[in-house]
Amino acid sequence: MDFKDLYQKSINKPEEFWKEISDDIFWYKKPTKILNKKNPPFYKWFEDGVTNSCYNALDIHIDEGRGDKTALIYDSPITGNKAKFSFKQLKDKVSKFAGALSNQGVKKGDRVIIYMPMVPEAVVAMLACGRIGAIHSVVFGGFASNELASRIDDSKAKVLVTASCGFEPGRTVEYRPLVDGALKLAKHKVEKVIFFQRQGQEIKLNAPLEISWEESLSNAKDTDCVEMDSNEFAYILYTSGTTGVPKGIVRDIGGHIVALKWTMKNIYNIDTDDVWWSASDIGWIVGHSYIVYAPLFKGCTTVLFEGKPVGTPDAGVFWRVISEYKIKSLFTAPTAFRAIKKEDPEGKFFSKYDLSSFESLFLAGERADPDTIKWAENLLKVPVIDHWWQTETSWAISSNCTGIEMQKTKYGSACKAVPGYDVKIIKPDQSLAKFNEMGDIVVKLPLPPGTFPTLWNADKRYEQNYMSNYKGYYQTYDAGHIDDDGYIWIMSRTDDIINVAGHRLSTGQIEEVLSEHQSVAECAVIGIKDQLKGQLPIGLIALKAGVTKDNDTISKECIQMVRDKVGPVAAFKIAIVVKRLPKTRSGKVLRGTIRKIADQEEYKMPATIDDPAILTEITEDLKKSNILKK
Ligand code: COA
Ligand code: AMP
């Protein structure tokens, strides 16, 4: 079937479409009820199906005779370590660690937080949770104690699995102070902390709360997969919301396996014999879906890379990895390619490697700028594909589905809606937009399998936040348009989310931290354009009357506070003290206008502005801080 027909079938007959696809995964009990639509917007896919995500990631491939095939390649230019694990070897590790978790009292439905660097043990921990029906919640290593604590509290995790350290270029990330800080801040008390001791970086552990990974394995038995109802949860992944309180995106089990396995061939054109690489971090959705789950469900080989696109050791490392493991396709964020382009604009490193295995590059996480796409196309001579998705959906909403039918590239567009997603543009008056008209991008309900069925312990927030503004639709909080060929153009977020090096951050969350500074009366954080990271947060802070501390000190303290409370990943390095913030007469800070000034875009003087002179002051302040050309 060609793309158009397949897409139409997915929209017109979603149950028939997904039922056929669901036959491709392992079920202990095949579902007979494909979609329960009785309680919108809470839809249930495959509700009477019984399965297990770890079985589908590992055991099934051994059953089918592929046990000796490589499942996971670990490549760590940052430590110099490399390793390969077959499906059998990975299963042995996972089933042992599942036993270790069981020994610590972890049962079906319990939450386990995984706060780890990019080591194979992190993947083992994720899959081990799935094996025994525990719900994992991976927390990105670049988040600070505060963020870890809020996730411990919200998930009420029983066990925390962590490591002695991570490595960033030029510095060791000690997890001990971060974990101690989080445990102190969290109201909920975890029952056990399992530390993976990295070679040469072992730390002293405090019994009885803490135990090493090795110790936890010492009396652990191999443990089999448990049978899970399709609608039980596989994991919670917290993501930035419109307020500082992170949202726990949950993933149900059956739909997740069905959809993700399908995407590997249909979107990425990957078969079981292929080697696939997603250069992200397991702390993000791209890492969950495309380092761990989708490739393992498919039974192909996946690469876990502990390094950076540049500096580990050089801008040729991506080419080295692709040629060494004969990778067919790579998925990463555009920022990684901008980093390579900046270091090696002529692609000198590229010519040193044989990339004959390489067939396509997929980019997502932020808008892929046409310059970067064209640069990559010129260098790699393969299709470079921008596709659009979100933590909420766990797989692409729009893409060039290369395994179904290759579409032509339109630079700046994330291609067409993927089968399963009925994407529309809605205008503020709630009417549907015509072709090429801008508006809010929404997806008609029900969403396809694998997308979030709710938020962790927050059904109301799910309904109010995502499903209420446009009845019958999921609001993506992205704005853009669809052209007459059906291509989707993602232009901006409609909430306070910014995208920094492909990392999703909430400016509201950073503002909450800045407001805690005792000299700060009010503040505004905006994302300004950045050539490398796409966007960078900057803070404008107005001080309380009578503050005598000098502005420089206050700025530095604010920057440090964000690093300590959100984490280094916020990349918050600019805090400018201003006299006043521009506001509407009703007191709303004009963040959009400030952003336009900072990005040197044209702006209209807002009709509701309280005092237009403040915009001139802000322009001067931005000039003094070198954000604007003088
Ligand atoms: N643990 C601890 N700290 C981390 C971290 C982790 N896992 N990941 C990043 N950080 C730190 C960095 O060390 C840096 O700290 P610094 O302020 O002390 O330098 C800070 O967080 C910002 O990191 P980052 O935004 O990654 O910037 P960078 O300058 O280190 O690297 C890129 C820039 C483009 C090379 C990098 O962002 C990259 O490789 N991006 C690839 C895309 C990607 O993985 N996207 C994820 C979603 S697809
Ligand atoms: P995350 O949940 O971290 O994956 O971030 C999701 C957000 O990243 C989306 O809502 C978009 O704003 C942005 N995004 C992801 N992919 C793209 C893309 N291909 N083009 C434009 N924006 C994107």
Side-chain angles (χ1 to χ4, degrees), residues 365-367 386-391 478 490 493 499 504:
E366 52 170 326
R367 184 167 179 271
D386 179 17
H387 63 326
W388 166 58
W389 51 300
Q390 307 181 309
T391 306
D478 280 311
I490 315 294
R493 285 287 300 197
N499 230 300
R504 173 166 162 177

Side-chain angles (χ1 to χ4, degrees), residues 18 27 45-46 230-231 252-260 395 449-451:
W18 288 108
W27 299 95
W45 283 100
F46 312 116
S230 187
N231 294 142
D252 60 350
I253 295 170
H256 181 227
I257 307 168
V258 171
L260 260 59
W395 55 286
T451 54

Side-chain angles (χ1 to χ4, degrees), residues 140-143 168-169 171 173 175 279-281 284 286 307-310 331-333 335-336 339 364-365 500-503 532-533 563 568-571 573:
F140 177 59
F143 280 129
E168 281 292 294
R171 82 187 159 99
V173 182
Y175 278 64
S280 175
D281 188 288
W284 306 113
V286 175
K308 300 267 174 177
V310 292
F331 176 177
T332 190
T335 188
V500 180
H503 306 136
L532 174 65
K533 298 195 177 189
R563 193 171 172 95
V569 68
K573 308 229 155 122

Side-chain angles (χ1 to χ4, degrees), residues 276-294:
W276 160 263
W277 178 24
S278 168
S280 175
D281 188 288
I282 48 147
W284 306 113
I285 187 62
V286 175
H288 276 62
S289 292
Y290 289 102
I291 295 173
V292 184
Y293 287 114

